[in-house]
């Protein structure tokens, strides 16, 4: 239980120019922007990234509301898809 609290306190999601980087207590994982299809959330559930290959990746809790995390990722995805 204490390890889970520590992971939440140390977890973060970085929205970089070309990738989403998920940093956890032990290690990190990167998802390149072109491979991310969408983001979803449901009340009481973690934020999920859906990748272009159809797989889903659960994002760690960061202490922020899932609605806000999903909204920030959605806006980040839309930046790349906006017509120029």
């Amino acid at each position: 239980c204490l390890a889970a609290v520590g992971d939440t306190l140390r977890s973060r999601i970085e929205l970089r120019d070309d990738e989403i980087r998920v940093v956890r207590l032990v290690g990190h994982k990167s998802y390149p922007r072109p491979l991310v299809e969408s983001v979803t959330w449901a009340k009481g559930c973690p934020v999920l990234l859906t990748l272009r290959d159809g797989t889903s990746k659960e994002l760690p809790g960061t202490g922020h509301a899932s609605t806000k995390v999903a909204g920030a990722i959605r806006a980040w995805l839309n930046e790349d898809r906006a017509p120029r």
Side-chain angles (χ1 to χ4, degrees):
C1 184
L2 191 54
V5 171
D7 191 39
T8 297
L9 293 175
R10 297 281 305 154
S11 295
R12 69 181 183 274
I13 299 167
E14 300 173 356
L15 300 177
R16 298 180 171 199
D17 288 340
D18 58 345
E19 68 183 6
I20 295 177
R21 185 177 177 110
V22 179
V23 181
R24 300 188 83 147
L25 188 58
V26 182
H28 70 275
K29 177 73 177 153
S30 296
Y31 301 98
R33 186 190 293 247
L35 299 183
V36 180
E37 177 68 30
S38 64
V39 61
T40 57
W41 69 274
K43 186 174 181 175
C45 297
V47 175
L48 290 176
L49 286 182
T50 301
L51 305 181
R52 295 213 184 266
D53 66 4
T55 61
S56 293
K57 303 296 179 182
E58 185 177 304
L59 299 182
T62 60
H64 299 285
S66 294
T67 55
K68 292 187 179 197
V69 172
I73 295 171
R74 198 169 290 119
W76 175 83
L77 285 171
N78 288 335
E79 280 178 12
D80 190 50
R81 296 176 182 157
R84 297 179 193 242

